[in-house]
Amino acid sequence: MSLNFRKQELEDLVISFFVLSLVFSNFNVKWLPYVAVGLLTAFVFHELAHRQVAKHYGYIAFYKRWDTGILLALLLGILNRVAHIGFLFAAVGAVYIYAPYAEWDDREANGKISLAGPATNIVVGIVALVMLLTLPLNGFLASVLYYTASINFWLAVFNLLPFPPLDGWKVFRWNPGYWAVAIGLAYLLNTMV
């Protein structure tokens, strides 16, 4: 598996990761290390899964931050910290996909590319939850696994909502059965953490 990042793509991933870390930690420095590990596995792995599956299908794919989304995430994050609105905004960028030689009209490939991110979140979340529930842990590692499971399941549910431009819309258009199983599983697992 070759990652081959362009400089701009790597910069966009780092900025997006940093903003989400601040927002998910509620701008609390004490929570930042736990949340950062959870987001590394949730956000970064999610985007890389989209990117790699798209490349598997022969598409050009790269991550690009969305500055408006970053601003919204920061503003709503600050509002959540001050007024406890209980809502996070996590759409700070996306993997952009281009078909170099064909028309981008393959609903199945698009559905599988879109499902790859949330499926990665579900798998990573399950691994973290199983480790949390079965290993004799306490302190830092237990907190890291808790946040890892929690953030991965939350991002899977959020991304599987069936509204454009979220992943769930593309998965639903491709195969409503796969979409229902994925969002049902993500939601159920999210309630267990």
Side-chain angles (χ1 to χ4, degrees):
M1 176 173 79
S2 171
L3 294 178
N4 297 331
F5 288 104
R6 295 180 358 244
K7 182 181 178 224
Q8 185 62 52
E9 182 180 17
L10 194 54
E11 179 183 302
D12 287 354
L13 265 171
V14 168
I15 290 169
S16 299
F17 172 74
F18 180 71
V19 167
L20 287 176
S21 294
L22 288 173
V23 170
F24 272 81
S25 68
N26 203 22
F27 299 90
N28 185 326
V29 177
K30 288 190 330 189
W31 296 352
L32 201 52
Y34 310 111
V35 169
V37 173
L39 274 168
L40 178 68
T41 64
F43 167 70
V44 175
F45 289 8
H46 174 106
E47 298 303 342
L48 291 178
H50 287 314
R51 187 177 181 270
Q52 291 308 114
V53 173
K55 286 184 175 208
H56 169 77
Y57 280 100
Y59 297 111
I60 296 167
F62 59 90
Y63 179 81
K64 182 169 176 40
R65 75 177 187 259
W66 181 41
D67 290 336
T68 304
I70 286 175
L71 184 60
L72 280 170
L74 287 169
L75 290 174
L76 286 172
I78 291 167
L79 187 58
N80 189 46
R81 170 114 174 131
V82 173
H84 309 290
I85 62 171
F87 180 76
L88 295 176
F89 185 79
V92 296
V95 171
Y96 288 75
I97 300 165
Y98 299 97
Y101 304 109
E103 208 172 298
W104 175 247
D105 194 18
D106 187 343
R107 213 176 254 198
E108 181 179 348
N110 194 14
K112 288 178 179 178
I113 292 164
S114 297
L115 185 57
T120 299
N121 292 131
I122 291 169
V123 169
V124 171
I126 288 171
V127 169
L129 185 59
V130 167
M131 289 174 68
L132 183 64
L133 296 175
T134 59
L135 298 177
L137 304 169
N138 58 34
F140 180 79
L141 192 52
S143 295
V144 165
L145 289 172
Y146 168 79
Y147 280 105
T148 298
S150 178
I151 292 169
N152 271 281
F153 294 145
W154 185 90
L155 277 177
V157 171
F158 174 79
N159 278 285
L160 284 167
L161 293 174
F163 308 112
L166 296 175
D167 297 330
W169 171 248
K170 297 169 216 158
V171 174
F172 182 81
R173 283 184 48 212
W174 161 56
N175 190 314
Y178 285 165
W179 170 81
V181 169
I183 197 164
L185 180 60
Y187 179 79
L188 175 67
L189 291 165
N190 191 50
T191 63
M192 296 174 66
V193 182

